[in-house]
Structure formats: structure tokens, C-alpha cells
């Protein structure tokens, strides 16, 4: 019950966003309530997450930028294709 109060108070107080609040809630629940992970495992988990992100990010960047390349072949539709995010 106290954790819910901290999360809602943090959101309403502008300390963190709802997404960050969900991450904090999940982390605290996994460590303290369910005891699924230990605090000493957290640095390794963060390193693995960063490694995965660093591996996937160039692939996503290439997929976004490749249609914008000028020239023949892969960038053939460069003038016609617009990127809408």
C-alpha cells in the first residue's frame, strides 16, 4: 500500500512520469516482494540491457535512413518516400 502511495505521489508531485513510476514499481516489487532478483544482479542486468539496445539501435537506424539514400538500387525511391514519425 505504501508503494502505491509513493508511486502516485511521485507522479502527482512531478518527480517522475507514469512510465518511470511503472518501472520503479516493477523493480521494487521484483526485489522486495517476490524476491525474483537480487540487488547484486542489477548491474549485470543493466549491462545486458544496454548491450542489447546497442546491438539493435544501428539496425533500426539503418532501416529508417536507408530509404532516404540517393542513387540507384536501394535508395531508388528516395525522392518519393517521405519519413513520417
Amino acid at each position: 500500500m505504501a508503494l502505491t502511495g509513493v508511486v502516485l505521489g511521485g507522479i502527482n508531485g512531478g518527480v517522475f512520469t507514469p512510465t518511470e513510476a511503472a518501472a520503479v514499481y516493477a523493480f521494487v516489487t521484483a526485489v522486495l516482494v517476490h524476491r525474483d532478483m537480487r540487488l547484486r544482479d542489477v548491474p549485470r542486468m543493466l549491462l545486458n540491457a544496454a548491450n542489447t539496445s546497442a546491438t539493435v539501435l544501428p539496425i533500426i537506424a539503418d532501416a529508417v535512413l536507408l530509404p532516404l539514400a540517393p542513387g540507384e538500387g536501394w535508395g531508388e525511391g528516395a525522392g518519393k518516400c517521405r519519413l513520417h514519425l
Side-chain angles (χ1 to χ4, degrees):
M1 191 73 181
L3 184 57
T4 304
V6 169
V7 167
L8 292 176
I11 293 171
N12 289 333
V15 177
F16 40 77
T17 66
T19 304
E20 293 166 340
V24 168
Y25 186 84
F27 176 76
V28 170
T29 302
V31 171
L32 297 179
V33 177
H34 296 296
R35 300 188 189 274
D36 288 339
M37 63 183 191
R38 290 171 277 183
L39 284 176
R40 68 177 180 208
D41 295 336
V42 173
R44 182 183 48 81
M45 291 177 180
L46 291 174
L47 186 61
N48 287 342
N51 191 12
T52 302
S53 295
T55 302
V56 173
L57 186 61
I59 297 170
I60 294 171
D62 288 344
V64 169
L65 296 175
L66 193 58
L68 303 176
E72 299 292 326
W74 287 98
E76 203 167 282
K80 301 172 190 151
C81 179
R82 294 288 178 237
L83 181 63
H84 298 286
L85 294 178

